[in-house]
């Protein structure tokens, strides 16, 4: 979870002059986790979304940065 939070905070700090679209942040975070923690990660970033997924401990990360929710999970 710490790696995901650090990635998002670092990425937001790098682009402090312009906001990063939620879709772009989701793609970048997914790619980062696919590269470092093996493929099949999925990511949703946004302010208003709902989800219902089955999961196993250690395969889901859910947190907020400000008012933006970030859901990252591994499937497969």
């Amino acid at each position: 979870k710490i790696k995901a939070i650090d990635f998002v905070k670092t990425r937001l700090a790098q682009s402090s002059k312009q906001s990063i679209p939620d879709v772009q942040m989701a793609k970048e975070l997914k790619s980062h986790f696919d590269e470092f923690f093996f493929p099949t990660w999925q990511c949703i970033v946004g302010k208003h979304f709902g989800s219902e997924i089955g999961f196993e401990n250690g395969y889901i990360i859910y947190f907020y940065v400000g008012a933006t929710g970030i859901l990252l999970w591994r499937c497969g």
Side-chain angles (χ1 to χ4, degrees):
K1 183 175 183 174
I2 300 298
K3 295 237 184 236
I5 295 170
D6 286 346
F7 178 86
V8 171
K9 286 184 175 181
T10 300
R11 188 65 185 92
L12 290 173
Q14 290 172 346
S15 65
S16 60
K17 294 183 180 175
Q18 57 181 238
S19 65
I20 300 172
D22 292 342
V23 171
Q24 181 181 343
M25 178 62 77
K27 286 179 182 179
E28 290 180 15
L29 186 55
K30 180 211 178 326
S31 294
H32 178 75
F33 267 66
D34 279 348
E35 182 180 342
F36 288 98
F37 302 105
F38 304 104
T40 66
W41 287 90
Q42 304 299 317
C43 187
I44 300 172
V45 176
K47 291 183 176 65
H48 304 286
F49 67 87
S51 68
E52 184 175 333
I53 58 173
F55 70 93
E56 194 174 321
N57 283 337
Y59 291 89
I60 188 169
I61 301 167
Y62 184 58
F63 62 98
Y64 280 86
V65 174
T68 302
I70 299 168
L71 175 62
L72 180 66
W73 75 97
R74 185 170 180 203
C75 54

